[in-house]
Amino acid sequence: MTQAEIKLCSLLLQEHFGEIVEKIGTYLIRTGSQPLRMIVSDTGLLLDQHNLVTYQLQKRGFVEYEAQCKRVLRILRYPRYIYTAKTLYNDTGELIVEELLLNGKMTMSAVVRKVADRLTETMEDGKTMDYADVSNTFVRLADTHFVQRCPLVPETPESPEAPPPPAPTLVIDEKDMYVVPRLNLVGKGKRRRSCDEEENGEHKAKKQKQDGESSEPPPDDGIYWQVNIDRFHQHFRDQGIVSAVANRMDQTSSEIVRTMLRMSEVTTSSSAPYTQPLSSNEIFRSLPAGYNIVKQVLDQYLTLLADDPLEFVGKSGDSGGGMYTVNLHKALASLATATLESVVEERFGSRCARIFRLLLRKKHLEQKQVEDFAMIPAKEAKDMLYKMLSENFVALQEIPKTPDHAPSRTFYLYTVNVPSSARMLLHRCYKSVANLIERRQYETKENKRLLEKSQRVEAILASMQATGAEDAQLQEIEEMITAPERQQLENLKRNVNKIDASENQVDETIFVLESFIESTVKKP
């Protein structure tokens, strides 16, 4: 765990959960697993469980809590998860994923009611959102594995003699993770009532509350759901691969690869090196209706993809017209390499990028060979190599002729260690995001008084519009914010939007680099 990662986790916890959670989260990240008494004695505070901490029963009988740093860093990607759900499942899917991310875990019935109420608020008067529509979208999210059940405490017969365990063991059967309980949710979303309606209906609300307390719990009580972050990452990875194929070849090739990924998205695990083998006939039947290409043309495209040097698609057999797979790990390596090339070109220029690509292709080269192959003068090539060496984009390998390692009898070969360079760039990305968050906090703090004034004016305007105030009165309220203050607010809004966009762009780079590094780590 690097200092940059710890700092970024601390800033994310503070921004989304406040100082209390930030204090405990940072303490657990720095110190590792700790029992509850140590957390309380050292911080005087307690962490709200939000999938950011795991617990484990130790041999000596006490429970230790451990912060999940990687899970904390995923908070940075929440807007991307929500936007993806909106793209795939419209506004209903967006709000379902948003509610689950904000609350950590919820029952299906609670999510459906909350989302239906929120959608009804945005509709025209007289229109409401049906619970059944929201429930259907939830089922589709579960079928495509974007949401999953949380582990449960197994039911065991209670024994009066045996004391309860210090910590329950949560388990879930893999085949039940995406099974949606059968709920008969009947009803529509409700709007928030105005103040007058609340006063008139106060007695009625109290009566309903008393009736509700005596009613039975919902049928899915105890069955909690959470967002399947790995499934979203799988979708992002597939989108990146499809985009890379489109840039390298054409739109039809990318659509064939998209079809292959879509056919195996549920059956292939997110960490698998290859997708499931698919026959040419299966791929042909699963192509979108808009692509009217004949089987012979499809076979030509598949052969072209399999023969490409990048090896995004590989051939694994000849049955069924040919069996093909998508090589996910090689695709991630190509995406990470392209990211490194882009960074080198932006930082050091096109000639350095030429040397960098040359080293990637030839693996090991002496300085004289670099000058000859890249067709760059000796002095410039030397400066560029040393510049990239000092920034850890290029590595130097010594091969001695004799055991004494004398410089005159040693070969010095330049090379690119892609995993090492990716880790270095990932570390810099974490620092960049932390700097962006601190800059946004500084901008907001500097203009805190003006922001509060703007919020007060907007609240007054909203209440006066609701009561039917005249235009002259509304204009008078608007003039409480002067022209220079309005200009300052516009500048602040523009700066914050730029910072938010930069955060999302850096996070896309972080995702590519993290996915590549994880693919290079051998699983036990």
Side-chain angles (χ1 to χ4, degrees), residues 212-259:
E213 286 173 356
S214 61
S215 63
E216 294 180 2
D220 65 338
D221 187 37
I223 302 174
Y224 289 91
W225 292 80
Q226 62 187 358
V227 172
N228 185 1
I229 285 175
D230 289 338
R231 178 65 183 86
F232 275 100
H233 289 177
Q234 189 179 340
H235 178 77
F236 299 155
R237 180 201 64 198
D238 293 351
Q239 294 294 98
I241 293 171
V242 169
S243 178
V245 172
N247 292 335
R248 183 168 177 82
M249 294 187 178
D250 63 358
Q251 196 62 38
T252 306
S253 300
S254 70
E255 197 59 44
I256 292 168
V257 173
R258 188 197 303 276
T259 303

Coordinates of all heavy atoms in Angstrom, one line a residue, residues 212-259:
G212 N -48.8 0.1 10.5 CA -47.6 -0.5 9.9 C -46.7 -1.2 10.8 O -46.1 -2.2 10.5
E213 N -46.7 -0.8 12.1 CA -45.9 -1.4 13.1 C -46.4 -2.8 13.4 O -45.6 -3.7 13.7 CB -45.8 -0.6 14.4 CG -44.9 0.7 14.2 CD -45.1 1.6 15.4 OE1 -45.9 1.3 16.3 OE2 -44.4 2.6 15.5
S214 N -47.7 -3.0 13.3 CA -48.2 -4.3 13.6 C -48.3 -5.2 12.4 O -48.6 -6.4 12.5 CB -49.7 -4.2 14.2 OG -50.5 -3.5 13.2
S215 N -48.0 -4.7 11.2 CA -48.1 -5.5 10.0 C -46.9 -6.4 9.9 O -45.9 -6.2 10.6 CB -48.2 -4.6 8.7 OG -47.0 -3.8 8.6
E216 N -47.0 -7.4 9.0 CA -45.9 -8.4 8.8 C -44.7 -7.7 8.1 O -44.9 -6.8 7.3 CB -46.4 -9.6 8.0 CG -47.5 -10.4 8.8 CD -47.9 -11.5 7.9 OE1 -47.4 -11.7 6.8 OE2 -48.8 -12.3 8.4
P217 N -43.5 -8.3 8.3 CA -42.3 -7.7 7.5 C -42.5 -8.1 6.0 O -43.2 -9.1 5.7 CB -41.1 -8.4 8.2 CG -41.7 -9.7 8.8 CD -43.1 -9.3 9.2
P218 N -41.8 -7.4 5.1 CA -41.9 -7.8 3.7 C -41.4 -9.2 3.4 O -40.5 -9.7 4.2 CB -40.9 -6.7 3.0 CG -40.1 -6.2 4.1 CD -40.9 -6.3 5.4
P219 N -41.9 -9.8 2.4 CA -41.5 -11.2 2.1 C -40.0 -11.4 1.9 O -39.5 -12.5 2.0 CB -42.3 -11.6 0.9 CG -42.7 -10.3 0.3 CD -42.8 -9.3 1.4
D220 N -39.3 -10.4 1.4 CA -37.8 -10.5 1.2 C -37.0 -10.0 2.3 O -35.8 -9.6 2.1 CB -37.4 -9.8 -0.1 CG -37.6 -8.3 -0.1 OD1 -38.5 -7.9 0.8 OD2 -37.0 -7.6 -0.9
D221 N -37.6 -9.9 3.5 CA -36.9 -9.4 4.7 C -35.6 -10.3 5.0 O -35.7 -11.5 5.1 CB -37.8 -9.4 5.9 CG -37.1 -8.7 7.1 OD1 -36.4 -7.7 6.9 OD2 -37.3 -9.2 8.2
G222 N -34.5 -9.6 5.0 CA -33.2 -10.3 5.3 C -32.4 -10.7 4.0 O -31.3 -11.1 4.1
I223 N -33.1 -10.5 2.9 CA -32.4 -10.8 1.6 C -31.9 -9.5 1.0 O -32.7 -8.7 0.5 CB -33.3 -11.5 0.6 CG1 -33.8 -12.8 1.2 CG2 -32.5 -11.8 -0.7 CD1 -34.8 -13.5 0.3
Y224 N -30.6 -9.2 1.2 CA -30.0 -7.9 0.8 C -29.3 -8.0 -0.5 O -28.7 -9.1 -0.8 CB -29.1 -7.3 1.9 CG -29.9 -6.9 3.1 CD1 -30.1 -7.8 4.2 CD2 -30.4 -5.6 3.2 CE1 -30.8 -7.4 5.3 CE2 -31.1 -5.2 4.3 CZ -31.3 -6.1 5.4 OH -32.0 -5.6 6.5
W225 N -29.3 -6.9 -1.2 CA -28.6 -6.9 -2.5 C -27.6 -5.8 -2.6 O -27.7 -4.8 -1.8 CB -29.7 -6.6 -3.6 CG -30.6 -7.7 -3.8 CD1 -31.7 -8.0 -3.1 CD2 -30.6 -8.7 -4.9 NE1 -32.4 -9.1 -3.6 CE2 -31.7 -9.6 -4.7 CE3 -29.7 -9.0 -5.9 CZ2 -31.9 -10.7 -5.5 CZ3 -29.9 -10.1 -6.7 CH2 -31.1 -10.9 -6.5
Q226 N -26.5 -6.0 -3.4 CA -25.5 -5.0 -3.6 C -25.1 -4.9 -5.0 O -25.4 -5.8 -5.8 CB -24.3 -5.4 -2.7 CG -23.6 -6.7 -3.1 CD -22.6 -7.1 -2.1 OE1 -22.3 -6.4 -1.1 NE2 -22.0 -8.3 -2.3
V227 N -24.3 -3.9 -5.4 CA -23.9 -3.8 -6.8 C -22.7 -4.7 -7.0 O -21.8 -4.8 -6.1 CB -23.4 -2.3 -7.0 CG1 -22.8 -2.2 -8.4 CG2 -24.6 -1.4 -7.0
N228 N -22.7 -5.4 -8.1 CA -21.6 -6.3 -8.5 C -20.6 -5.5 -9.2 O -20.6 -5.4 -10.5 CB -22.1 -7.5 -9.3 CG -21.1 -8.5 -9.6 OD1 -19.9 -8.4 -9.2 ND2 -21.4 -9.6 -10.3
I229 N -19.6 -5.0 -8.5 CA -18.6 -4.1 -9.1 C -17.7 -4.8 -10.2 O -17.4 -4.3 -11.2 CB -17.7 -3.5 -8.0 CG1 -18.5 -2.4 -7.3 CG2 -16.4 -2.9 -8.6 CD1 -17.8 -1.8 -6.1
D230 N -17.4 -6.1 -9.9 CA -16.6 -6.9 -10.9 C -17.3 -7.0 -12.2 O -16.7 -7.0 -13.3 CB -16.3 -8.3 -10.4 CG -15.3 -8.3 -9.2 OD1 -14.6 -7.3 -9.1 OD2 -15.3 -9.2 -8.4
R231 N -18.7 -7.1 -12.2 CA -19.4 -7.2 -13.5 C -19.4 -5.9 -14.2 O -19.2 -5.9 -15.5 CB -20.9 -7.6 -13.2 CG -21.8 -7.7 -14.4 CD -21.4 -8.8 -15.3 NE -22.2 -8.8 -16.5 CZ -21.9 -8.1 -17.6 NH1 -20.9 -7.3 -17.7 NH2 -22.7 -8.2 -18.6
F232 N -19.4 -4.8 -13.5 CA -19.3 -3.5 -14.2 C -17.9 -3.3 -14.8 O -17.7 -2.8 -15.9 CB -19.5 -2.3 -13.2 CG -21.0 -2.0 -13.1 CD1 -21.7 -2.4 -12.0 CD2 -21.6 -1.2 -14.0 CE1 -23.1 -2.1 -11.9 CE2 -22.9 -0.8 -13.9 CZ -23.7 -1.3 -12.8
H233 N -16.9 -3.8 -14.1 CA -15.5 -3.7 -14.6 C -15.3 -4.6 -15.8 O -14.6 -4.2 -16.8 CB -14.5 -4.2 -13.5 CG -14.4 -3.2 -12.4 ND1 -13.6 -3.4 -11.3 CD2 -14.9 -2.0 -12.2 CE1 -13.6 -2.4 -10.5 NE2 -14.4 -1.5 -11.0
Q234 N -16.0 -5.7 -15.8 CA -16.0 -6.6 -17.0 C -16.6 -5.9 -18.2 O -16.1 -6.0 -19.3 CB -16.8 -7.9 -16.7 CG -16.7 -9.0 -17.8 CD -17.5 -10.2 -17.4 OE1 -17.8 -10.4 -16.2 NE2 -17.8 -11.0 -18.3
H235 N -17.7 -5.2 -18.0 CA -18.3 -4.4 -19.1 C -17.4 -3.3 -19.6 O -17.3 -3.1 -20.8 CB -19.6 -3.8 -18.5 CG -20.4 -2.9 -19.5 ND1 -21.1 -3.5 -20.6 CD2 -20.4 -1.6 -19.7 CE1 -21.6 -2.5 -21.3 NE2 -21.2 -1.3 -20.8
F236 N -16.7 -2.6 -18.7 CA -15.8 -1.5 -19.1 C -14.6 -2.1 -19.9 O -14.2 -1.5 -20.9 CB -15.2 -0.8 -17.9 CG -16.2 -0.1 -17.0 CD1 -15.9 0.1 -15.6 CD2 -17.4 0.3 -17.5 CE1 -16.9 0.8 -14.9 CE2 -18.3 1.0 -16.7 CZ -18.1 1.2 -15.4
R237 N -14.1 -3.3 -19.4 CA -13.0 -3.9 -20.2 C -13.5 -4.3 -21.6 O -12.8 -4.1 -22.6 CB -12.6 -5.2 -19.4 CG -11.5 -6.0 -20.0 CD -11.5 -7.4 -19.5 NE -12.7 -8.1 -19.9 CZ -13.1 -9.2 -19.3 NH1 -12.5 -9.8 -18.3 NH2 -14.2 -9.8 -19.7
D238 N -14.7 -4.9 -21.7 CA -15.2 -5.3 -23.0 C -15.4 -4.1 -23.9 O -15.1 -4.2 -25.1 CB -16.6 -6.0 -22.8 CG -16.4 -7.4 -22.1 OD1 -15.3 -7.8 -21.9 OD2 -17.4 -8.0 -21.8
Q239 N -15.9 -3.0 -23.4 CA -16.0 -1.8 -24.2 C -14.7 -1.3 -24.7 O -14.6 -0.8 -25.8 CB -16.7 -0.6 -23.3 CG -18.1 -0.9 -22.9 CD -19.1 -1.0 -24.1 OE1 -19.4 -2.0 -24.6 NE2 -19.5 0.2 -24.6
G240 N -13.6 -1.3 -23.8 CA -12.3 -0.9 -24.2 C -11.7 -1.8 -25.4 O -11.1 -1.3 -26.3
I241 N -12.0 -3.1 -25.3 CA -11.5 -4.0 -26.3 C -12.2 -3.8 -27.6 O -11.6 -3.7 -28.7 CB -11.7 -5.5 -25.8 CG1 -10.8 -5.8 -24.7 CG2 -11.5 -6.5 -27.0 CD1 -11.1 -7.2 -24.0
V242 N -13.5 -3.6 -27.6 CA -14.3 -3.3 -28.8 C -13.8 -2.0 -29.5 O -13.7 -1.9 -30.7 CB -15.8 -3.3 -28.5 CG1 -16.6 -2.7 -29.6 CG2 -16.3 -4.6 -28.0
S243 N -13.6 -1.0 -28.6 CA -13.1 0.3 -29.2 C -11.8 0.1 -29.8 O -11.5 0.7 -30.9 CB -13.1 1.3 -28.0 OG -12.6 2.5 -28.5
A244 N -10.9 -0.6 -29.2 CA -9.5 -0.8 -29.7 C -9.6 -1.6 -31.1 O -8.9 -1.2 -32.0 CB -8.7 -1.6 -28.7
V245 N -10.5 -2.6 -31.2 CA -10.6 -3.3 -32.5 C -11.2 -2.4 -33.5 O -10.7 -2.4 -34.7 CB -11.5 -4.5 -32.3 CG1 -11.8 -5.2 -33.6 CG2 -10.9 -5.6 -31.3
A246 N -12.1 -1.5 -33.2 CA -12.7 -0.6 -34.2 C -11.6 0.4 -34.7 O -11.6 0.7 -35.9 CB -13.9 0.2 -33.5
N247 N -10.8 0.9 -33.8 CA -9.7 1.8 -34.2 C -8.7 1.1 -35.1 O -8.1 1.7 -36.0 CB -9.0 2.4 -33.0 CG -9.9 3.3 -32.2 OD1 -10.9 3.9 -32.8 ND2 -9.7 3.5 -30.9
R248 N -8.4 -0.2 -34.8 CA -7.4 -0.9 -35.5 C -7.9 -1.4 -36.9 O -7.2 -1.4 -37.9 CB -6.8 -2.0 -34.7 CG -5.7 -2.8 -35.4 CD -5.0 -3.7 -34.5 NE -3.9 -4.5 -35.1 CZ -2.7 -4.0 -35.3 NH1 -2.4 -2.8 -35.0 NH2 -1.8 -4.8 -35.9
M249 N -9.1 -1.9 -36.9 CA -9.7 -2.4 -38.2 C -10.9 -1.6 -38.7 O -10.7 -0.6 -39.2 CB -10.0 -3.9 -37.9 CG -8.8 -4.8 -37.6 SD -9.2 -6.5 -37.5 CE -7.6 -7.2 -37.2
D250 N -12.1 -2.1 -38.4 CA -13.2 -1.3 -38.8 C -14.4 -1.7 -37.9 O -14.3 -2.5 -37.0 CB -13.6 -1.6 -40.3 CG -14.0 -3.1 -40.5 OD1 -13.9 -3.9 -39.6 OD2 -14.3 -3.5 -41.7
Q251 N -15.6 -1.1 -38.2 CA -16.7 -1.2 -37.3 C -17.3 -2.6 -37.3 O -17.7 -3.1 -36.3 CB -17.8 -0.2 -37.8 CG -18.9 0.1 -36.8 CD -18.4 0.7 -35.5 OE1 -17.5 1.5 -35.5 NE2 -18.9 0.3 -34.3
T252 N -17.2 -3.3 -38.5 CA -17.8 -4.6 -38.6 C -17.0 -5.6 -37.7 O -17.5 -6.4 -37.0 CB -17.8 -5.1 -40.0 OG1 -18.5 -4.2 -40.8 CG2 -18.4 -6.5 -40.1
S253 N -15.6 -5.5 -37.7 CA -14.8 -6.3 -36.9 C -15.1 -6.1 -35.4 O -15.2 -7.1 -34.6 CB -13.3 -6.0 -37.1 OG -12.9 -6.2 -38.4
S254 N -15.3 -4.8 -35.0 CA -15.6 -4.5 -33.6 C -16.9 -5.1 -33.2 O -17.1 -5.6 -32.1 CB -15.5 -3.0 -33.4 OG -16.6 -2.4 -34.0
E255 N -17.9 -5.1 -34.1 CA -19.2 -5.7 -33.8 C -19.2 -7.2 -33.7 O -19.9 -7.7 -32.8 CB -20.2 -5.3 -34.9 CG -21.7 -5.4 -34.5 CD -22.0 -4.6 -33.3 OE1 -21.6 -3.4 -33.3 OE2 -22.7 -5.1 -32.4
I256 N -18.3 -7.8 -34.4 CA -18.1 -9.3 -34.3 C -17.5 -9.6 -32.9 O -18.0 -10.5 -32.2 CB -17.2 -9.8 -35.4 CG1 -18.0 -9.7 -36.7 CG2 -16.8 -11.3 -35.1 CD1 -17.1 -10.0 -37.9
V257 N -16.5 -8.8 -32.5 CA -15.9 -9.0 -31.2 C -16.9 -8.7 -30.1 O -16.9 -9.4 -29.1 CB -14.6 -8.1 -31.0 CG1 -14.0 -8.2 -29.6 CG2 -13.5 -8.6 -32.0
R258 N -17.7 -7.6 -30.3 CA -18.7 -7.3 -29.3 C -19.7 -8.4 -29.1 O -20.1 -8.7 -28.0 CB -19.5 -6.0 -29.7 CG -20.4 -5.5 -28.6 CD -21.4 -4.5 -29.3 NE -20.8 -3.4 -29.9 CZ -20.4 -2.3 -29.3 NH1 -20.5 -2.1 -28.0 NH2 -19.8 -1.3 -30.0
T259 N -20.1 -9.1 -30.2 CA -21.0 -10.2 -30.1 C -20.4 -11.4 -29.4 O -21.1 -12.0 -28.5 CB -21.4 -10.6 -31.6 OG1 -22.0 -9.5 -32.3 CG2 -22.4 -11.8 -31.5

